[in-house]
Amino acid sequence: MSAFTAPTLNPPTRAGFSSRTFSIASFSPFSPGNRISKEDKYPSISLAAMSTHRWQQQRLNALVGSDHSEQILESIQESLTNCLTETDLHLTVPGLKSKSRGKVRDIYDAGDYLVLVTTDRLSAFDRNLASIPFKGQVLNETSLWWFYNTEHITPNAVVLSPDRNVTIARKCSVFPVEFVVRGYVTGSTDTSLWTVYNKGLRNYCGNVLPEGLVKSQKLPANILTPTTKSADHDVPVTPDQIVEQGLMTETDYAEASRKALSLFEYGQNIASEHGLILVDTKYEFGKDSDGKIVLIDEIHTPDSSRYWIASSYEERIRNGLEPENIDKEFLRLWFKENCNPYEDEVLPEAPKELVSELARRYIYLFETITNSKFELPVLTEPIHDRISKNVSAALSTLRSV
């Protein structure tokens, strides 16, 4: 079976990234001290000295009760009508050839590179539901932290980040497959594991599932449930179908699968050490110009992943309650309860209090995982002007290297 050959430019709804860096002035929210080296283990919590519940409650209290958190909550409220929902850098930055609009990211062709702007758009059910203050910055900075700390598992395509909402990446040939890894049986969308399991399906994407599972239960082992990318809706697929359809070679699929499962296990360990459960996520891979498989798009963000709070998980499951989550699941459920998000032409407006709460949870996740404070952007100039200026300077320097 021949290998999949993708266009040089990534598809409109996806993004690509390289671990190669340049000595130019670029934004980085992480000091070298925050990086996890291949040799070092992530700082762990001593449960003998402090219970997970107590530690987690302190983290929550720190977010809700500190001057820093009060400033964040105030800024969220002030920014509800000032989100970054659209960019037009091809009109303001010299040298950008074209724009592609993804669900969340605006992607620009910059010759050898892609400029990926993460907006505040919220996507679910294959549509845009709302705009969430600071969401783009959170997603971009969270991904950068994970990319930086997973290079011992797989290379990535990130070049640099010249702005809090922007990543510049090398172009890659992108595999038309999303590697969805799951550790629990849950979810609310049509392709979620709980939805298909609850309908009686026991063989999903090549995985044989045992009888008697209940919603939000931990699986006996992590599983991979890949999907193909389509314009309207991602379609579940088996590994054999991926090879038979020529989407990937058997060798490439095997390597990407190993990387995906290793990344997920690593992410689960980091989340656990911070009082969280990484429930499921998705990864995307491509090949760089040297034919090397690299990680692209985003990684372990609250958009691409589901996170639960570990301290309350078992008690809530025993009582038949949904786990406490810090991702977008609660807003997905609100839309599902108030409309048909797949078929209704016009969707209701997301309640402001839910939008604010989601913004707060996204920032909480970033601070918890990275062990750093979220830095609010300085609003001395329009965000689009700031991004245009920073991207222009970065591209000018890259072209001179």
Side-chain angles (χ1 to χ4, degrees):
M1 195 65 63
S2 61
F4 166 71
T5 303
T8 305
L9 180 62
N10 292 0
T13 59
R14 299 293 179 253
F17 296 87
S18 170
S19 53
R20 182 172 52 145
T21 57
F22 294 84
S23 57
I24 72 172
S26 63
F27 161 71
S28 175
F30 318 114
S31 65
N34 283 341
R35 179 172 183 171
I36 307 171
S37 71
K38 297 179 183 179
E39 295 78 17
D40 296 335
K41 293 185 178 180
Y42 202 82
S44 61
I45 301 300
S46 174
L47 299 184
M50 179 184 295
S51 69
T52 302
H53 175 74
R54 180 183 171 195
W55 173 78
Q56 183 67 26
Q57 190 61 48
Q58 287 187 350
R59 294 291 305 210
L60 288 169
N61 289 342
L63 178 67
V64 174
S66 68
D67 291 340
H68 170 67
S69 65
E70 290 176 2
Q71 181 185 13
I72 284 177
L73 292 172
E74 182 179 338
S75 297
I76 288 172
Q77 295 291 329
E78 293 175 349
S79 299
L80 286 171
T81 58
N82 189 34
C83 295
L84 182 67
T85 57
E86 197 73 37
T87 64
D88 293 297
L89 298 190
H90 58 302
L91 303 178
T92 59
V93 176
L96 293 185
K97 300 178 180 180
S98 63
K99 171 187 175 181
S100 300
R101 189 180 191 274
K103 295 175 182 178
V104 175
R105 290 170 181 80
D106 291 341
I107 306 167
Y108 297 89
D109 182 358
D112 293 333
Y113 309 103
L114 293 178
V115 176
L116 310 159
V117 184
T118 308
T119 71
D120 297 329
R121 298 192 294 263
L122 177 72
S123 176
F125 305 106
D126 298 307
R127 359 182 10 173
N128 289 319
L129 302 182
S131 292
I132 311 298
F134 310 125
K135 175 177 175 288
Q137 179 181 337
V138 168
L139 263 59
N140 193 56
E141 293 183 359
T142 301
S143 281
L144 288 171
W145 189 90
W146 283 107
F147 278 126
Y148 195 62
N149 285 296
T150 57
E151 289 181 327
H152 64 289
I153 297 175
T154 179
N156 58 70
V158 175
V159 175
L160 58 89
S161 176
D163 185 274
R164 297 185 180 278
N165 287 70
V166 180
T167 293
I168 295 179
R170 287 185 298 177
K171 288 180 178 177
C172 296
S173 296
V174 181
F175 297 122
V177 175
E178 288 192 348
F179 289 76
V180 182
V181 186
R182 307 177 188 272
Y184 294 74
V185 54
T186 191
S188 59
T189 64
D190 285 353
T191 57
S192 72
L193 188 55
W194 171 247
T195 299
V196 298
Y197 185 87
N198 197 36
K199 291 179 179 178
L201 194 64
R202 295 296 181 268
N203 192 319
Y204 190 52
C205 299
N207 300 283
V208 178
L209 304 172
E211 294 289 344
L213 295 178
V214 298
K215 189 176 183 183
S216 303
Q217 181 177 343
K218 183 176 175 59
L219 292 165
N222 295 330
I223 63 172
L224 183 60
T225 59
T227 65
T228 60
K229 301 174 187 177
S230 66
D232 300 321
H233 198 60
D234 295 338
V235 180
V237 65
T238 67
D240 287 343
Q241 290 172 329
I242 289 173
V243 176
E244 290 168 359
Q245 295 174 22
L247 304 178
M248 299 179 70
T249 65
E250 185 175 354
T251 300
D252 286 345
Y253 179 80
E255 179 180 345
S257 297
R258 287 194 299 270
K259 291 177 182 290
L261 289 168
S262 295
L263 287 167
F264 189 67
E265 182 179 3
Y266 180 80
Q268 284 183 312
N269 291 336
I270 297 299
S272 177
E273 291 171 356
H274 288 72
L276 302 175
I277 297 173
L278 177 59
V279 179
D280 52 35
T281 193
K282 63 97 177 171
Y283 305 104
E284 297 188 46
F285 297 94
K287 277 190 174 182
D288 63 13
S289 58
D290 296 326
K292 182 169 54 181
I293 292 180
V294 297
L295 180 65
I296 63 171
D297 199 56
E298 59 186 322
I299 173 174
H300 297 167
T301 72
D303 251 24
S304 65
S305 312
R306 204 185 314 265
Y307 286 91
W308 294 336
I309 294 177
S311 60
S312 61
Y313 166 72
E314 291 186 3
E315 181 180 355
R316 292 183 69 87
I317 295 303
R318 283 196 303 267
N319 294 328
L321 300 174
E322 290 284 336
E324 290 182 288
N325 64 76
I326 49 174
D327 50 60
K328 62 184 179 181
E329 179 67 9
F330 77 95
L331 194 55
R332 272 196 295 242
L333 292 173
W334 183 89
F335 275 95
K336 201 165 186 180
E337 292 168 359
N338 289 274
C339 64
N340 185 332
Y342 285 114
E343 297 181 5
D344 290 353
E345 184 174 346
V346 179
L347 300 182
E349 183 176 352
K352 291 182 179 180
E353 60 271 22
L354 295 188
V355 170
S356 297
E357 173 62 16
L358 184 56
R360 187 188 74 87
R361 294 188 189 195
Y362 273 36
I363 293 172
Y364 167 72
L365 177 65
F366 168 81
E367 294 192 333
T368 300
I369 290 293
T370 67
N371 196 30
S372 61
K373 282 190 175 182
F374 180 76
E375 295 186 18
L376 292 164
V378 179
L379 301 178
T380 55
E381 62 180 330
I383 186 171
H384 195 281
D385 292 351
R386 184 200 78 201
I387 291 174
S388 296
K389 179 180 67 179
N390 290 338
V391 171
S392 294
L395 290 178
S396 176
T397 304
L398 281 174
R399 293 180 183 118
S400 66
V401 172

